[in-house]
Amino acid sequence: MGELRVLDVETARTVERICDEIVPGSARVRPAVYVDALLALMDEGAREAALAAFAKVADGELGGHAGTPEFLQVRALAIEAFYSDFVAPGVETTGAWAEIDFNTPLATRLAKDWSYLGIVPAPAPERR
């Protein structure tokens, strides 16, 4: 899963699975990397609550959790992780904006910088 600061590998897989169930196709951008970065910035109580929400929503059928506070929190994180147009460093895929054809003149000029979350781009391949 790469370098994660809060999530262990198993929990990261759970986060990815749940995000993909809520926002189909989102696993391709590695939303667990985004969620992990957000969790790392939270205070301990908020982080524990978010992790508990993912654990609770992962238990059983997703639809059985709809409308619960845990589901609403997890859904918000899943939507943000994808529709912010995040793509984890080193992942070769398009983000949500290409998928939904969000290509206004301003949007096409944006240089997305996730460093405020502690996510730095993968180093560019060395040219010879």
Side-chain angles (χ1 to χ4, degrees), residues 28-78:
R28 74 174 189 269
V29 302
R30 305 254 333 271
V33 173
Y34 185 89
V35 170
D36 178 76
L38 289 178
L39 292 171
L41 296 175
M42 293 178 184
D43 65 61
E44 187 176 341
R47 182 173 36 254
E48 287 176 5
L51 289 169
F54 273 102
K56 179 133 183 163
V57 171
D59 185 27
E61 291 293 318
L62 184 65
H65 297 285
T68 65
E70 294 85 4
F71 177 81
L72 296 174
Q73 181 177 23
V74 166
R75 182 183 72 170
L77 291 170

Side-chain angles (χ1 to χ4, degrees), residues 63-109:
H65 297 285
T68 65
E70 294 85 4
F71 177 81
L72 296 174
Q73 181 177 23
V74 166
R75 182 183 72 170
L77 291 170
I79 290 169
E80 180 180 340
F82 187 64
Y83 288 108
S84 66
D85 205 36
F86 175 76
V87 176
V91 174
E92 295 294 326
T93 190
T94 57
W97 291 6
E99 184 172 313
I100 63 173
D101 201 25
F102 182 62
N103 59 7
T104 65
L106 181 57
T108 59
R109 291 193 312 260

